Amino acid sequence: MDCIFCSIIAGEIPSTKVWEDDYCYAFRDINPQAKDHVVIVPRAHIESADKIYAGNSVYVSKIFEAIPKIAAALNLENGYRIITNIGEHGCQSVKHLHFHLLGGEQLPEKIV
Ligand code: AMP
C-alpha cells in the first residue's frame, strides 16, 4: 500500500518523533501551522475518522490517552487544539487517519 504515513511509521521516510507507543506514532508536521504542530497517527492504516468502528476504535481511544502526555512533553499547559480532517470537503490530504495537535503559542480564531 502506498501510504506516506505508513512509510513514516515503518521508518522508511524520516520524521521528527515526539511520541510513540504500541498504538500510535507522533511526529512534527513538515509544514507547521503553529509553533508546535504534531501529527498523531495510529499504527494501523485507517483511512480517516469516518472509518472508525468497534473493531478499530481502540486506536482512537489510545491516541486520546496519549494526547495529554504529548502535550505535557511539549509543555503545552496553556492549551492546544486537536483537529482531524476528513475526506474531500474536510480537505484531508493524507488518507491515513491523523490528528493535528497545534499549540505552543496563542492560536488564531477558531472555526467552531
Ligand atoms: P491533512 O491535510 O489533514 O491530511 O494533513 C496532512 C499533514 O501531513 C499536512 O499538515 C502535511 O504538512 C503533513 N505531512 C505530509 N507529509 C509529511 C511528512 N513527510 N512529514 C511530516 N508531515 C507531513
Side-chain angles (χ1 to χ4, degrees), residues 21-22 26 37 41 43 54 59-60 81-83 87 110-111:
D21 60 32
D22 289 345
H37 184 175
V41 303
R43 289 192 179 277
Y59 286 95
V60 176
R81 190 172 290 162
I82 298 291
I83 296 173
K110 56 189 182 178
I111 295 175

Side-chain angles (χ1 to χ4, degrees), residues 18-52:
V18 299
W19 175 267
E20 69 175 327
D21 60 32
D22 289 345
Y23 291 89
C24 68
Y25 184 79
F27 52 96
R28 293 201 175 267
D29 196 291
I30 202 168
N31 182 25
Q33 301 301 305
K35 183 166 172 286
D36 288 308
H37 184 175
V38 172
V39 180
I40 309 163
V41 303
R43 289 192 179 277
H45 183 87
I46 300 168
E47 185 179 310
S48 77
D50 191 55
K51 304 299 181 192
I52 298 299

Side-chain angles (χ1 to χ4, degrees), residues 4-5 8 27-31 85 91-94 98 100:
I4 189 168
F5 286 173
I8 286 174
F27 52 96
R28 293 201 175 267
D29 196 291
I30 202 168
N31 182 25
N85 296 318
C91 299
Q92 181 184 5
S93 59
V94 178
H98 54 282
H100 297 266

